[in-house]
Amino acid sequence: MTGPASRAIIPGDEPPAPKPGGIADRARGARAAGGDYLAKLNPEQRRAVEALDGPVLVLAGAGTGKTRVLTTRIAHLLATGRARPWEILAVTFTNKAAREMKHRIGDLIGGVLEGMEWLGTFHSIGAKILRRHAELAGLKSGFTILDTDDQIRLMKQIIQAAGIDEKRWPARQLAGHIDHWKNKGLAPKDVPQGDGHVFADGRGVKLYAAYQARLKVLNAADFGDLILEPLRILREHPDVLAEYHKRFRYMLVDEYQDTNVAQYLWLRLLAQERKNICCVGDDDQSIYGWRGAEVDNILRFEKDFPGATVIRLERNYRSTAHILGAASHLIAHNESRLGKTLFTDAVDPEAAKVSVASSWDSEEEARAVGEEIEQLQRQGHTLNEIAILVRASFQMRSFEDRFVTLGLNYRVIGGPRFYERAEIRDALAYFRVVAQPADDLAFERIVNTPRRGIGDTTVRLLHDRARARGVPLTEAAAEMIGTDEINARARTAIRDLLASFDRWREQLETLPHTELAEIILEESGYTEMWQADRSADAPGRLENLKELVRSMEEFDSMAGFLEHISLVMDTDSEASADAVSIMTLHSAKGLEFDSVILPGWEEGLFPSQRTLDESGRVGLEEERRLAYVGITRARKRAYIRFASNRRIHGLWQSSVPSRFVDELPEAHVDVVEESNSYGGYGMGSYGESRFDTRDPFQNTYSTPGWKRAQKNRSGGGFDEASQGGYGNFSGPRSKQRFIEGDLVAKSVVGGSSIYETGERVFHQKFGYGHIATIDGNKLTIDFDKAGRKRVLDSFVERH
DNA sequence: TAATAGAAAATTTTT
DNA sequence: TTTTCTATTA
């Protein structure tokens, strides 16, 4: 990863090395050795750390100390003087993993790790290599990294330019194919004949080529290119390859089971000279096949690297024997695996078995989970140690709804990312055009945001001109303001905008970049646009913009910031508040919790029908691995649940328990008999839970949730700070719900509403309606479609 | 050109 | 059910 403080990469400009055997070097070695880092390892781990030479495959089961092995191995390399920090290539998949490794190596060697320039994600290291040799790929070193959204928009243009019906052949689909080819390491010329016919009657490859050509013109690379282009450079330029062979004495790869073909080829090429490559992974945790990961890479390792040492880590330090037993028995149903069996030495006769329970529908499921969590809480467990892991994100909703009602703190991990939000992308587009005038995609995004009277017609004219002259849009625009091809109003608007960009570009040299960022957002009228916006999420968006500018402070230039933002996808704001985590199974990989709740184990949902249809047995095995990942996240307690009915796309469907449920071993499972334990008002009937007509004001004020809400409030729990904190990683949806919790509490106080009787309002759920009566901030509204409802004024907007 | 209403489509997982 | 796109109208 390219961290904030990473130094500029100038070939040949290496940081000064401590002289091997010199004072600094010996002192460092002594300190590390004094830490006795090897003694803390079990025999298998120690073997994995000490087998420094030649290819090594470490098959590390869940919770067996994989990261410890990787980091200790690096510390060992450094301590024994085998390699200096910048001679080690260490690749991970996520920025988080890279960060953690850096941190833990630092702990091992007793200080801050410096000089490990080549520890990072595949993508950031790929970007680094590509920037050093950009000209070999037809790019300039300052190229832009496009995200998925930009990619799709670009492909849309290419499809249109080729005169292909964009409805029949959606850009998204083309993006899928191109992604697939890039994952396999195939440039347009390498795509096999048959493959090219999959899109638009055989024009797929042509479009791929056109897309690549367009990227070069835009001086841009997409995510696939960050792997594909370096691979091509290494293949076609032996001198460059030799340089890296010389440089990388040792290579380490984390999560090897997740590598795709391109990454594999890239690693093999780099490792072929010295062969000091150590891959750590777990075939049972390969869950990214759908985006090109090849489990085969890990299954084939010994063939690819003859004479490889294979070490299995099976001693688990995380979970109870029941949890391990359940997970192992389940995963044993898979055929394609190298085979490992986790075991633990820890004996705990008190340990709970894996609980399996069912519910009537997803709402009852959420209710039951809420109960389970409250019970855990009563037993003194903190919410931070509880996680709900779902297969698909739509499942999160019912839990969020329920937890808001209960006043139970939760956080959604994953979700819509900070950088993906419209306002952030808009702001970044402004910065990108300033930093890179040729960035047409960014320019197009903001020409008319905020509205300046530059509509589709004008943009099309600009496009025609740009294409005819072979120049970027900004340049075409500059030419066209001198002509009368565009109408006067749009022409003035464009002239003003271009003048602003010129001005900001000058200020790029003279002003600190954070200050410039504020100026840009202010002068462009962008912040004003949101200030004028009366919708509920406008204030949050402004807050996000502030946060964006604040986060820029960590960087020393606009360019450095833009590089970071395109590569670092995670917004890892650690929340201090105690809260239940809700996330997908995929994003739970690598995490662990005392209690893990696994809802939605139903055929069609988990295993996902779509995966089954698309990938058959292979897909089923991947789903099973996902289940395995889920169970092994738990240290002490795992709760598996399924519901008999679930609403999908607004339709109720009855569902059958997942086959995975029956694949669990009886000996480690406790089946919880159906219980209508919630509430006392015998509503086991269909109706009540299906149609949520219950009024939020009927909350009993003595429930744990209510008490908690009161406590939170008196402690200033729901203040702006905590909301802002959640806003960073949970969507606007959940954010709003937090506000809801607050207002329910305040409604006791009464007061006058900002609305008037008879006013027409809009409500997210119920649609349009007229206010019938007002009681404090509670409104009774006659909705056009939904009839008379009582709602809080914060839920409605003036219409 | 911009706002609006109504229809159609989409729903897994993400560096 | 919700979101996104499209066509219409002002």
Side-chain angles (χ1 to χ4, degrees), chain A residues 355 367-377 597 639 641:
Chain A
S355 134
R367 219 172 284 131
V369 167
E371 294 248 321
E372 270 165 355
I373 292 172
E374 294 197 319
Q375 194 174 344
L376 285 169
Q377 212 178 9
I597 296 160
Y639 302 85
R641 314 196 59 97

Side-chain angles (χ1 to χ4, degrees), chain A residues 144-211:
Chain A
T144 311
I145 298 167
L146 299 187
D147 59 31
T148 324
D149 199 73
D150 290 325
Q151 265 183 65
I152 303 275
R153 282 192 297 143
L154 188 53
M155 283 181 204
K156 217 174 241 171
Q157 291 173 13
I158 297 212
I159 290 170
Q160 277 164 356
I164 293 169
D165 180 13
E166 198 220 311
K167 287 240 182 66
R168 237 194 101 183
W169 302 103
R172 197 163 282 285
Q173 201 184 325
L174 178 64
H177 289 299
I178 292 183
D179 227 44
H180 181 75
W181 290 323
K182 287 189 174 177
N183 284 339
K184 287 202 147 34
L186 302 171
K189 63 174 166 47
D190 306 320
V191 177
Q193 277 292 315
D195 254 28
H197 289 284
V198 289
F199 190 81
D201 309 314
R203 283 174 288 184
V205 181
K206 274 216 178 85
L207 291 171
Y208 179 17
Y211 169 72

Side-chain angles (χ1 to χ4, degrees), chain A residues 385-448:
Chain A
E385 278 306 333
I386 303 173
I388 299 174
L389 311 182
V390 296
R391 173 70 243 263
S393 42
F394 74 81
Q395 293 172 258
M396 294 178 180
R397 211 228 165 100
S398 52
F399 294 105
E400 290 191 55
D401 281 342
R402 184 62 191 161
F403 294 171
V404 168
T405 313
L406 290 175
L408 193 66
N409 271 351
Y410 68 89
R411 62 177 147 250
V412 173
I413 295 178
R417 283 151 200 286
F418 186 68
Y419 78 99
E420 271 174 358
R421 294 163 187 223
E423 67 277 14
I424 300 302
R425 295 184 46 83
D426 288 339
L428 290 175
Y430 273 102
F431 303 158
R432 276 164 58 185
V433 178
V434 171
Q436 258 232 132
D439 196 333
D440 281 3
L441 289 162
F443 181 72
E444 224 175 306
R445 186 179 176 95
I446 46 81
V447 256
N448 204 29

Side-chain angles (χ1 to χ4, degrees), chain A residues 297-526:
Chain A
N297 288 346
I298 196 165
L299 301 178
R300 259 200 346 240
F301 189 86
E302 292 179 80
K303 272 199 203 112
D304 290 332
F305 298 96
T309 312
V310 179
I311 296 163
R312 281 185 162 72
L313 303 183
E314 298 172 304
R315 186 187 304 265
N316 176 290
Y317 294 99
R318 179 187 295 159
S319 313
T320 66
H322 285 310
I323 288 165
L324 292 181
S328 300
H329 195 268
L330 177 78
I331 197 65
H333 289 80
N334 272 5
E335 283 170 31
S336 317
R337 60 191 294 255
L338 293 168
K340 282 184 275 57
T341 309
L342 297 178
F343 65 94
T344 176
D345 289 341
V347 185
D348 179 4
E350 299 281 282
K353 291 185 177 183
V354 173
S355 134
V356 175
S358 70
S359 319
W360 170 253
D361 64 11
S362 51
E363 283 173 37
E364 195 198 298
E365 184 180 68
R367 219 172 284 131
V369 167
E371 294 248 321
E372 270 165 355
I373 292 172
E374 294 197 319
Q375 194 174 344
L376 285 169
Q377 212 178 9
R378 277 193 291 272
Q379 291 163 6
H381 302 289
T382 87
L383 298 180
N384 282 329
E385 278 306 333
I386 303 173
I388 299 174
L389 311 182
V390 296
R391 173 70 243 263
S393 42
F394 74 81
Q395 293 172 258
M396 294 178 180
R397 211 228 165 100
S398 52
F399 294 105
E400 290 191 55
D401 281 342
R402 184 62 191 161
F403 294 171
V404 168
T405 313
L406 290 175
L408 193 66
N409 271 351
Y410 68 89
R411 62 177 147 250
V412 173
I413 295 178
R417 283 151 200 286
F418 186 68
Y419 78 99
E420 271 174 358
R421 294 163 187 223
E423 67 277 14
I424 300 302
R425 295 184 46 83
D426 288 339
L428 290 175
Y430 273 102
F431 303 158
R432 276 164 58 185
V433 178
V434 171
Q436 258 232 132
D439 196 333
D440 281 3
L441 289 162
F443 181 72
E444 224 175 306
R445 186 179 176 95
I446 46 81
V447 256
N448 204 29
T449 311
R451 304 249 130 91
R452 319 188 152 82
I454 307 172
D456 293 345
T457 331
T458 314
V459 173
R460 195 161 309 128
L461 282 168
L462 290 177
H463 257 297
D464 293 345
R465 175 71 167 224
R467 195 167 316 127
R469 302 262 289 100
V471 295
L473 285 174
T474 40
E475 211 168 302
E479 289 174 11
M480 288 178 81
I481 50 176
T483 71
D484 55 0
E485 288 164 70
I486 352 180
N487 74 46
R489 189 187 296 172
R491 201 160 63 214
T492 323
I494 293 177
R495 183 179 299 128
D496 289 351
L497 183 64
L498 289 180
S500 298
F501 273 117
D502 283 338
R503 195 172 60 247
W504 296 328
R505 252 168 237 139
E506 277 168 33
Q507 290 170 324
L508 194 55
E509 311 291 325
T510 56
L511 290 176
H513 61 290
T514 45
E515 205 171 306
L516 178 60
E518 280 173 9
I519 289 176
I520 293 173
L521 294 178
E522 204 55 51
E523 292 183 358
S524 62
Y526 191 73

Side-chain angles (χ1 to χ4, degrees), chain A residues 550-575:
Chain A
R550 228 173 291 143
S551 71
M552 292 174 77
E553 279 169 16
E554 293 171 38
F555 301 87
D556 35 45
S557 72
M558 186 69 90
F561 171 71
L562 289 174
E563 168 88 8
H564 171 88
I565 206 80
S566 51
L567 283 172
V568 177
M569 307 301 215
D570 54 348
T571 46
D572 206 47
S573 30
E574 275 307 317

Side-chain angles (χ1 to χ4, degrees), chain A residues 11 127-143 216 219 229-230 232-233 236-237 239-240 243-244:
Chain A
K128 196 169 193 163
I129 293 179
L130 190 53
R131 286 209 194 280
R132 302 177 115 202
H133 314 280
E135 71 295 343
L136 297 179
L139 292 167
K140 280 169 270 174
S141 173
F143 61 81
K216 307 297 178 208
N219 194 29
E229 295 290 1
R232 217 171 60 178
I233 291 169
E236 293 172 6
H237 300 273
D239 51 319
V240 177
E243 181 196 327
Y244 288 101

